[in-house]
Amino acid sequence: MDNNFKIFTSFIKDLLNYSLKGDKIYHLWMGLLTFLMIGGAYLYTKQLQSGLAITGMNDHVSWGLYISNFTFLVGLAAAAVMLVIPAYIFSDVDLYKVVLIGEGVAVGALLMCLAFVTVDIGGPQRFWHLIPGIGRLNFPQSLLAWDIIVLNGYLLLNLLIPFYILFNKYRGEAPNKKIYVPLVFLSIFWAVALHMVTAFLYAGLSARPFWNNALLGPRFLASAFAGGPAFILVMLGFTKRFSNFKVDESILDKIAVIVTIAAQINLVMLGSEVFKEFYNATHHSISAVYLFFGIGEKSALVPWIWTAISLNIIATLTLTIHKLRNNDFFRYSACVLLFAAIWIEKGMGLVVPGFIPSPLGSVVEYHPTLVEIGITIGIWAFGLFVITLLVRLGFAIEQNIIKYKEKASS
Amino acid sequence: MKGLRERLKSFLGLEESENPSKFDFLGRKKQSRRGFLKDATTTAGIGASIMGVGASTLIGEEEKEKLSLSWENYFKSNYKYMSKRDRKKAVKRLERLAKLKRDENVSISDKDAIPGVLFGYAFNISKCEGYMDCIKACLEENNLDRKSNMQYIKVFEVENGTLSVENGDNHFFHETPTDEHFYMGTQCMHCENPPCVPVCPTEATWKENDGIVVVDYDWCIGCRYCEAACPYEARRFNWAEPEVSSDQLTTNQHYLGNRRKAKGVMEKCTFCIQRSREGENPACVEACPTGARVFGNLLDPNSEIRKIIETKKVFRLKEELGTEPKFWYYMD
Amino acid sequence: MKKIFPILLILTAACHPHHGSNSKSKYKELTNQVKNKVSVKEVFNKDNFVEWTETKAQPFLVEKVWNEAKENGCKSCHSGFALSKMKGKKHKRAHWNIVLKHADSKIMNCTTCHNDDEVWRFKVGKSKVHANKSAKTCMQCHFKQANDWELGSHGKRSVGWQTERAIKSCTSCHNPHRPVFGKRVPKLAPYRPENNEERL
């Protein structure tokens, strides 16, 4: 019996080998993503040179595209692991199959989150100031400190669990349920905590009435559990259609139900927020007025938010109707629409209006620059690259395509 | 070379102990986390110096010194937790770097808060005429970025009929005062319960003992969470490298005050900490031609600021947020 | 306490007690706890100030606004001549550049404030005061501003906050013939954080 270290090195070698092989579509896709990543990296060097002045952010709207995407992706990461719940409730599906897909998406999304935060801060070379022991982490006072701990802990969990499961599968041994099931449950609670902490980041600021409400945390969770599984569903659809991997239909059905319920709850919460802001509008509601109707001539976000809401409603309705939800075309298109809608309303529809108007009444709009958009696309490409890689490898190991072959001793 | 010898000594623990408890029961020097970092950077500094000596044919003496000082400067800790000695070293290093980089002779103070002092500020909205002498003086005193015209103070032109500064306009540029308007200025309110302080992930901003909320510019990572948390728009971020020409630079500086900053860090009004800790008034108070600004020690019962709070009808902005700003507004 | 407060908040949902705190009493309490009194610096150029003891509160210093040169300037024309004798076509036009814009011409003229014989002294009731104490003249009408001036909410300090109280006199800031500050163009253009192009 070869020792673990030998198996591990062989594991890495096999993974690398498999990643480099694939059909034309795979290579084209990865090539496109690499190109976008390199472009993003180049633009980031430009940003490092001239400072954040090259973005569209200013002292009034001090968080823009980067943090919008960060917020949305934390939700994606948190939701990915929520797939575990149906696997547990409808226990006819093998637990670890679904877990793998979720973990792969989660790792990709988390790496994207970390990348977005890195490009957003003004002094990335001083990141070591955050490490407790060497620097000073302001825990438990600062919610950003909480977020850093929770994010990195979640990343660790999401790397350990699939590694454990896949490594054992690779070796031809069954993973021990007593080890990974508690970790999986920990990651479910951690996922909820992760997204609530991110929501508290915003909800705790008394200076920003648009965010300072109790519903922000639950709203984040609802939109995450609608958008995240929608993404995974589309991804699984692609996998089923374009690859040899076997994907159980029952998994897809159950995920679709989760997406539907979460989307419905999300709409109810949206209704609640809209009522509170507009029934008796106070000066705390000016941000919502800006978002939905614009203030004077400043209405850059109005078309975005109405698009988001319409897409949201259309998608939710489509998914609610059983016949449509079980039809492949309607199901996947609804998921794409829902994902886009939630990206808009949770990203720029949440972060930017919080800054408009400013605490002393200035209405200054935010327009991202090309550099900002380029870097954002680069980071998304990086995330999709990682997700493609991990999910593909996960499937390959899980379906025994990559297996450890003991070398015959001479 | 003297500096190198000193550094070697401290690294090997051969310097005299100021505090006997620095040594454990076996007489070995106790290594704190900060001590470890200090030694590590000293080693790194020595390494860099050795490298520098080796490369002396390629770079000059000044460049070597600049590199070694910048290296040490990068690894220093949060000013709030530095010892008095480390603070002294830090300011000396920065003064030397200013001389090497731009041939500027600055004096950077590390003066601590005067005991028994809590600074307060009062603004008379009957007297402000919107002349903006305060903004100009502040800009010059605090070495603010000229390129983006960064200003700590905002003066609002508010139409009569409301006291709410949100209804005002701080982008006016015409002869003042105009009829049917009054003027009021805002800047950092130096809250007693500042919402910007607990949110900083690296503790780069804190409230000093004399009530001034300060930023350690070299510790700030530029996440701008404090800017989102401030209800008074007090914080300014250096989106680009700040530009101040050497002849316009104010050379009496404080580590936490008006020294030069890098791009990507946060800054704000510090009640002119380099002046107020020497017993002088902030630049805005000095500059106002109508006497609309009053500054003093809240703990001195005879100070003007105390008398104003006790006799005049004062109010503060956004009191409902519970931030307890130390910046009062009053009228004649 | 501050460090575990957020945890307590989450656990107990305690309410933050910040409403209704009285600024005055809080600082009084703090003052009583202060052990070291802050040292008061001396004014380094005491010759530029006069002592003002005519107050119920602590005496303070007031910036001088007059000097020998100015007085000699007045004396060079006004010595020995009654004002009434200085009018008429024989005499040169004087002080033509001083236009009195101080209340109404029916209420005020030159001799409302300036003493009739010694024009470099100022009237307070039936007596006269030196120019350095001319604040007393202003106070006769402007008693409200005078109270504020003695309190500290009107006027300005000539020195820093830590120095003993030395404040400016009325005419240090106000031109007595034209006391209203008037319109001015602001010293510089406002800060526009949204102008991104300018900052690169």
Side-chain angles (χ1 to χ4, degrees):
Chain A
M1 186 64 190
D2 287 332
N3 66 359
N4 273 339
F5 181 69
K6 212 171 167 201
I7 303 178
F8 182 69
T9 45
S10 156
F11 180 60
I12 300 293
K13 253 193 272 175
D14 284 346
L15 287 182
L16 283 171
N17 272 332
Y18 190 76
S19 307
L20 293 169
K21 291 195 206 108
D23 59 353
K24 260 211 183 102
I25 297 180
Y26 172 70
H27 282 297
L28 267 171
W29 171 242
M30 296 304 250
L32 171 69
L33 291 178
T34 312
F35 172 71
L36 290 172
M37 280 199 278
I38 293 174
Y42 166 69
L43 289 172
Y44 183 55
T45 59
K46 285 189 92 180
Q47 185 185 288
L48 283 175
Q49 255 186 332
S50 54
L52 283 161
I54 210 170
T55 66
M57 299 185 275
N58 50 56
D59 275 332
H60 284 304
V61 185
S62 49
W63 280 340
L65 205 55
Y66 298 147
I67 300 291
S68 309
N69 280 291
F70 163 79
T71 316
F72 174 72
L73 287 166
V74 174
L76 184 62
V81 94
M82 289 307 289
L83 296 182
V84 171
I85 291 191
Y88 177 66
I89 297 174
F90 313 114
S91 54
D92 54 21
V93 176
D94 275 355
L95 190 69
Y96 56 81
K97 268 192 210 159
V98 186
V99 162
L100 285 175
I101 306 157
E103 314 285 22
V105 172
V107 168
L110 284 168
L111 287 175
M112 276 199 267
C113 288
L114 291 175
F116 273 119
V117 169
T118 308
V119 302
D120 183 65
I121 59 177
Q125 75 274 19
R126 288 188 288 272
F127 80 94
W128 62 269
H129 291 182
L130 284 165
I131 303 173
I134 312 177
R136 272 223 109 84
L137 190 66
N138 192 5
F139 183 87
Q141 278 200 308
S142 167
L143 276 161
L144 257 181
W146 278 81
D147 216 16
I148 288 165
I149 292 176
V150 176
L151 256 165
N152 287 299
Y154 192 63
L155 181 60
L156 205 64
L157 265 178
N158 279 304
L159 286 170
L160 282 174
I161 301 174
F163 172 72
Y164 175 75
I165 296 174
L166 291 174
F167 190 59
N168 279 307
K169 193 78 208 266
Y170 174 75
R171 288 199 299 190
E173 288 174 21
N176 186 352
K177 278 206 168 153
K178 285 206 191 105
I179 293 180
Y180 75 82
V181 169
L183 282 179
V184 164
F185 278 110
L186 177 64
S187 71
I188 297 176
F189 290 111
W190 200 289
V192 174
L194 169 70
H195 215 30
M196 288 293 267
V197 165
T198 310
F200 287 165
L201 247 185
Y202 296 102
L205 299 180
S206 54
R208 308 280 170 186
F210 186 63
W211 299 332
N212 190 214
N213 61 61
L215 195 59
L216 203 68
R219 180 96 199 273
F220 266 38
L221 286 173
S223 55
F225 297 154
F231 176 80
I232 293 173
L233 202 57
V234 172
M235 199 184 62
L236 288 174
F238 267 117
T239 314
K240 207 169 151 201
R241 181 94 192 270
F242 293 107
S243 76
N244 306 332
F245 296 131
K246 289 167 252 150
V247 182
D248 241 340
E249 193 59 40
S250 57
I251 303 178
L252 298 177
D253 289 337
K254 271 139 201 166
I255 297 174
V257 171
I258 299 174
V259 173
T260 313
I261 297 175
Q264 289 163 345
I265 298 177
N266 191 26
L267 276 182
V268 168
M269 291 188 179
L270 171 69
S272 172
E273 279 189 5
V274 164
F275 174 79
K276 180 256 176 188
E277 299 283 19
F278 293 113
Y279 179 67
N280 246 332
T282 64
H283 109 272
H284 285 194
S285 315
I286 305 183
S287 296
V289 171
Y290 168 76
L291 177 63
F292 287 100
F293 305 109
I295 297 178
E297 284 184 3
K298 310 226 166 143
S299 53
L301 279 177
V302 174
W304 287 91
I305 192 65
W306 285 110
T307 314
I309 293 184
S310 340
L311 291 180
N312 204 337
I313 295 177
I314 294 172
T316 312
L317 279 175
T318 313
L319 288 170
T320 312
I321 303 170
H322 291 288
K323 251 203 163 139
L324 294 177
R325 187 174 69 249
N326 290 326
N327 175 310
D328 268 1
F329 170 73
F330 282 106
R331 176 193 284 181
Y332 294 124
S333 359
C335 282
V336 169
L337 292 183
L338 190 64
F339 186 78
I342 292 178
W343 180 79
I344 296 173
E345 81 177 10
K346 201 166 173 184
M348 61 187 87
L350 173 84
V351 172
V352 176
F355 291 104
I356 301 169
S358 72
L360 297 182
S362 299
V363 179
V364 169
E365 291 201 292
Y366 166 71
H367 302 284
T369 57
L370 288 173
V371 172
E372 230 172 328
I373 296 172
I375 295 176
T376 309
I377 292 176
I379 296 177
W380 267 97
F382 166 66
L384 289 174
F385 189 90
V386 169
I387 293 174
T388 314
L389 216 60
L390 291 177
V391 170
R392 195 161 170 271
L393 290 171
F395 268 125
I397 299 177
E398 193 259 310
Q399 291 178 5
N400 279 321
I401 299 174
I402 307 179
K403 233 184 342 190
Y404 179 63
K405 295 180 186 67
E406 262 194 70
K407 292 210 175 69
S409 44
S410 50
Chain B
M1 281 312 281
K2 187 185 172 201
L4 183 60
R5 208 178 296 145
E6 270 179 9
R7 289 200 292 254
L8 258 173
K9 266 193 178 166
S10 83
F11 174 62
L12 296 170
L14 295 174
E15 58 190 13
E16 278 140 283
S17 76
E18 298 144 32
N19 182 358
S21 67
K22 263 172 89 177
F23 296 87
D24 65 9
F25 71 102
L26 280 178
R28 293 175 298 200
K29 190 167 175 211
K30 278 196 241 174
Q31 197 63 288
S32 64
R33 168 176 48 81
R34 195 170 44 74
F36 165 71
L37 190 61
K38 195 164 58 119
D39 292 340
T41 63
T42 312
T43 320
I46 294 171
S49 310
I50 292 171
M51 266 171 49
V53 166
S56 59
T57 46
L58 300 167
I59 42 181
E61 277 294 319
E62 272 200 10
E63 273 298 313
K64 272 190 281 172
E65 195 186 353
K66 219 198 289 185
L67 278 172
S68 122
L69 285 176
S70 304
W71 181 266
E72 276 181 35
N73 200 41
Y74 175 70
F75 284 106
K76 71 186 172 189
S77 69
N78 188 332
Y79 187 81
K80 185 168 155 194
Y81 295 101
M82 277 189 204
S83 65
K84 265 206 158 68
R85 233 183 63 191
D86 283 340
R87 288 184 179 186
K88 261 268 158 334
K89 275 207 266 183
V91 297
K92 285 266 169 314
R93 201 163 40 216
L94 285 172
E95 284 173 355
R96 182 77 190 131
L97 274 171
K99 180 84 188 149
L100 290 171
K101 281 189 187 168
R102 292 187 185 86
D103 198 28
E104 286 166 355
N105 296 314
V106 299
S107 75
I108 302 182
S109 158
D110 61 340
K111 187 155 189 205
D112 215 356
I114 304 170
V117 172
L118 189 67
F119 289 121
Y121 205 112
F123 188 101
N124 189 340
I125 57 181
S126 303
K127 296 231 181 313
C128 180
E129 309 272 28
Y131 296 148
M132 304 216 219
D133 284 58
C134 47
I135 303 184
K136 182 150 192 278
C138 168
L139 191 136
E140 288 166 1
E141 168 69 27
N142 288 300
N143 300 323
L144 300 185
D145 177 30
R146 303 300 197 258
K147 194 153 191 219
S148 61
N149 194 22
M150 185 194 282
Q151 296 162 7
Y152 288 161
I153 300 175
K154 296 188 180 186
V155 173
F156 287 85
E157 182 180 64
V158 190
E159 212 173 300
N160 284 342
T162 168
L163 271 186
S164 170
V165 91
E166 286 98 347
N167 297 332
D169 168 29
N170 70 323
H171 291 153
F172 68 94
F173 190 53
H174 51 73
E175 246 187 15
T176 53
T178 51
D179 297 328
E180 289 153 35
H181 290 102
F182 69 94
Y183 298 87
M184 66 195 269
T186 64
Q187 60 205 66
C188 175
M189 307 268 151
H190 294 279
C191 306
E192 269 299 278
N193 185 24
C196 59
V197 164
V199 296
C200 177
T202 55
E203 291 191 61
T205 179
W206 65 92
K207 186 178 62 150
E208 289 265 300
N209 285 335
D210 52 2
I212 305 182
V213 178
V214 296
V215 179
D216 181 351
Y217 309 114
D218 295 323
W219 194 254
C220 172
I221 58 171
C223 71
R224 310 187 295 290
Y225 197 11
C226 57
E227 198 168 23
C230 176
Y232 304 108
E233 285 180 34
R235 297 232 165 207
R236 305 281 176 268
F237 187 68
N238 285 297
W239 299 97
E241 190 75 37
E243 284 178 14
V244 187
S245 64
S246 296
D247 52 309
Q248 291 182 319
L249 193 77
T250 302
T251 52
N252 271 350
Q253 300 173 353
H254 192 285
Y255 186 96
L256 298 167
N258 61 340
R259 64 180 169 102
R260 275 191 189 268
K261 293 112 192 156
K263 69 173 186 277
V265 296
M266 202 56 94
E267 57 175 310
K268 63 179 194 60
C269 160
T270 56
F271 275 172
C272 280
I273 196 170
Q274 64 279 359
R275 294 173 64 108
S276 48
R277 283 192 177 170
E278 304 291 339
E280 291 168 24
N281 283 331
C284 48
V285 177
E286 286 289 336
C288 178
T290 62
R293 291 168 174 270
V294 177
F295 182 76
N297 178 10
L298 285 165
L299 300 182
D300 172 12
N302 296 320
S303 61
E304 285 105 332
I305 177 77
R306 272 288 284 274
K307 298 236 177 75
I308 290 173
I309 298 175
E310 287 166 10
T311 13
K312 291 287 175 184
K313 295 186 179 36
V314 298
F315 69 91
R316 294 175 293 183
L317 290 185
K318 306 199 190 221
E319 287 197 67
E320 69 276 6
L321 294 181
T323 52
E324 299 291 317
K326 294 200 289 294
F327 194 103
W328 284 265
Y329 294 91
Y330 67 102
M331 288 169 266
D332 277 340
Chain C
M1 186 56 207
K2 259 237 142 168
K3 281 217 152 180
I4 54 171
F5 181 76
I7 303 178
L8 276 180
L9 193 66
I10 295 166
L11 292 175
T12 64
C15 151
H16 220 121
H18 274 296
H19 305 287
S21 50
N22 187 339
S23 315
K24 180 169 112 180
S25 58
K26 175 152 114 177
Y27 296 115
K28 263 197 175 146
E29 272 171 49
L30 285 173
T31 311
N32 295 336
Q33 292 168 19
V34 165
K35 292 180 204 124
N36 341 313
K37 250 198 122 183
V38 182
S39 58
V40 178
K41 292 188 179 170
E42 278 238 343
V43 168
F44 78 96
N45 51 346
K46 266 221 160 82
D47 299 327
N48 290 357
F49 297 92
V50 289
E51 266 221 45
W52 195 275
T53 44
E54 300 88 338
T55 165
K56 291 183 215 128
Q58 266 191 332
F60 48 88
L61 295 170
V62 178
E63 209 176 74
K64 287 186 183 171
V65 293
W66 201 243
N67 53 40
E68 275 293 316
K70 286 189 189 171
E71 195 157 308
N72 291 335
C74 306
K75 286 181 180 169
S76 62
C77 292
H78 286 274
S79 264
F81 287 95
L83 263 180
S84 50
K85 293 222 165 76
M86 290 180 79
K87 291 183 193 160
K89 283 193 190 155
K90 273 201 294 178
H91 298 269
K92 282 191 243 180
R93 280 188 71 198
H95 303 304
W96 51 270
N97 55 339
I98 298 180
V99 179
L100 194 63
K101 249 197 137 183
H102 195 159
D104 206 82
S105 58
K106 296 194 198 110
I107 304 174
M108 283 184 84
N109 56 38
C110 310
T111 50
T112 313
C113 297
H114 289 271
N115 183 272
D116 299 304
D117 304 313
E118 290 184 321
V119 294
W120 53 90
R121 294 280 185 265
F122 297 90
K123 291 180 175 169
V124 177
K126 293 219 169 91
S127 53
K128 57 183 186 238
V129 288
H130 188 278
N132 281 335
K133 296 251 171 143
S134 57
K136 290 193 188 174
T137 311
C138 311
M139 275 186 206
Q140 291 170 112
C141 293
H142 298 288
F143 56 91
K144 251 198 172 166
Q145 286 89 329
N147 277 339
D148 286 343
W149 178 72
E150 289 185 13
L151 181 86
S153 67
H154 186 121
K156 233 175 123 164
R157 268 188 167 228
S158 307
V159 293
W161 64 270
Q162 201 178 2
T163 319
E164 54 180 318
R165 192 165 177 224
I167 60 179
K168 293 188 180 276
S169 182
C170 310
T171 49
S172 307
C173 299
H174 297 278
N175 178 345
H177 309 126
R178 201 193 178 102
V180 175
F181 284 115
K183 292 199 186 211
R184 299 184 193 179
V185 178
K187 277 280 183 317
L188 75 179
Y191 171 50
R192 286 191 173 272
E194 64 272 26
N195 279 359
N196 295 353
E197 313 80 45
E198 288 173 3
R199 57 187 191 185
L200 271 172

